[in-house]
Amino acid sequence: MKELKKNCMWSLVVPTSMGVRITPPDGQSVQASNTFFMQATSAESNVASISSYLGLPVKVLTTFVKDSPIAAFIKSNLRSRGMAYEGKEVEQGGPWGYRHQFNIADSGYGSRGPRVANDRAGEVGRTLSIDDFDLERIFGQEGVQILHLSGLIAALSPETSKFCLELARAAKKYGTLISFDLNFRASFWIGREKELGEVFSEIASVSDILIGNEEDFQLCLGIKGPEAGGKDIASKINNFKEMIMRVKEAYPNTSVYATTLRQVINVNSHLWGAIMLVGDEWQVVEPREIRVLDRIGGGDGFVGGMLYAILKNWEPEKWIQFGWASGALATTFLTDYAQPADEEQVWSIWGGNARVKR
């Protein structure tokens, strides 16, 4: 993989549509609850949280509803995570105008699986436009080491599709590494399959780091998925490797290909693993059991930990290890993003050391 740019103001930049997530406490279901924990959320800021909590400079590119108390709540949260942000203030336009998305989540418990409902009507993030940002300043003058893009934003609206394309082109022009997590969502693609297929293919073709599960690679990029294997996820590792090789054949300019492995024993106990191809070298974490408080955000934690390790110029073996452990860490929080205290806490998870630290 090409070297990271030096003397940059930003280690990581993420475009995103911020919203809020409400979750009943104690693993209760939504319909049975009258008390909810509210947090600011987005998949892309979840990814960036690993780097920001561990001290690297991060910027969020987004948009806000002007004078909204929810926007103020989100801004306060981003500042508390150590993230800078910039974005246009959009007039609400009356009671039926713009707002920030709501994510209503039942995290599940034991044999009762999680259920997530997204209420995105009037979502202000759908208006994200390249015209609202000075790309020459961000990428040329300030400098960015890694731009992380998500398929959630790339598919959110025709405007955000163009936004992500232009960001990728600017990053390529200025020598910034591009990370792309495909994040397929079927409801976003309805009636836009051809258009989005072209957008995703162009972004993937210029990406240095490409991340996705078997569904993502099949439905976003048209890559044949892994062959069916045994019920145990570990028995399918070679099939996943073959799938990644098909991705590499289709997108040979990418340097890093990664996918996570998950087998659900029950809501609170998962087998968690990962596969990464760096150049011609495989890195594999065999699935290991982890305890889960809330699974949402585990995949984002993996990506965030992997990108942090790349930004730290560690060896590739540590990229997947730190990513795996950051994903495992994320599932221990009520928030859907990990809040690592320090690198040691993450490495303790990798090492299986859950003993008290005094």
Side-chain angles (χ1 to χ4, degrees), residues 20-26 33-41 73 77 102-105 107 293-294 333-337 339:
V20 293
R21 178 182 190 241
I22 58 173
T23 311
D26 304 318
S33 301
N34 58 17
T35 302
F36 293 81
F37 166 70
M38 187 169 84
Q39 63 160 101
T41 189
F73 175 83
N77 173 264
F102 266 73
N103 178 282
I104 307 160
S107 56
L293 180 63
D294 187 330
F333 282 88
L334 292 175
T335 54
D336 58 7
Y337 54 87
Q339 302 176 53

Side-chain angles (χ1 to χ4, degrees), residues 242-260:
E242 291 171 359
M243 177 191 71
I244 290 174
M245 289 304 296
R246 290 192 286 272
V247 179
K248 182 177 181 178
E249 183 178 355
Y251 297 93
N253 295 326
T254 299
S255 301
V256 180
Y257 310 82
T259 188
T260 54

Side-chain angles (χ1 to χ4, degrees), residues 145-305:
Q145 291 186 295
I146 296 180
L147 169 72
H148 176 69
L149 298 170
S150 163
L152 295 174
I153 304 303
L156 193 58
S157 69
E159 291 78 13
T160 64
S161 298
K162 180 181 178 183
F163 177 57
C164 288
L165 267 178
E166 293 300 327
L167 283 174
R169 291 166 180 165
K172 190 73 173 177
K173 173 183 174 181
Y174 287 104
T176 293
L177 293 181
I178 301 169
S179 166
F180 187 27
D181 187 351
L182 296 168
N183 264 331
F184 176 80
R185 292 294 184 274
S187 58
F188 291 11
W189 282 64
I190 296 172
R192 300 181 65 205
E193 291 84 357
K194 182 176 185 297
E195 170 201 351
L196 289 177
E198 292 173 354
V199 168
F200 276 59
S201 182
E202 180 175 341
I203 295 174
S205 71
V206 297
S207 294
D208 300 280
I209 303 159
L210 196 53
I211 307 130
N213 61 29
E214 66 273 27
E215 181 183 61
D216 294 334
F217 287 122
Q218 290 178 82
L219 299 177
C220 294
L221 301 180
I223 305 296
K224 181 183 175 184
E227 300 291 340
K231 293 183 179 180
D232 184 86
I233 191 70
S235 67
K236 302 178 183 179
I237 287 177
N238 286 336
N239 296 342
F240 277 89
K241 284 184 174 181
E242 291 171 359
M243 177 191 71
I244 290 174
M245 289 304 296
R246 290 192 286 272
V247 179
K248 182 177 181 178
E249 183 178 355
Y251 297 93
N253 295 326
T254 299
S255 301
V256 180
Y257 310 82
T259 188
T260 54
L261 306 170
R262 186 196 302 266
Q263 181 177 337
V264 177
I265 300 171
N266 60 58
V267 168
N268 308 107
S269 181
H270 295 182
L271 297 179
W272 177 241
I275 302 172
M276 178 186 296
L277 179 63
V278 183
D280 295 319
E281 182 180 351
W282 289 102
Q283 301 290 342
V284 178
V285 176
E286 295 277 349
R288 292 159 51 183
E289 187 173 2
I290 60 171
R291 296 290 294 169
V292 176
L293 180 63
D294 187 330
R295 68 168 284 169
I296 305 301
D300 298 328
F302 169 81
V303 177

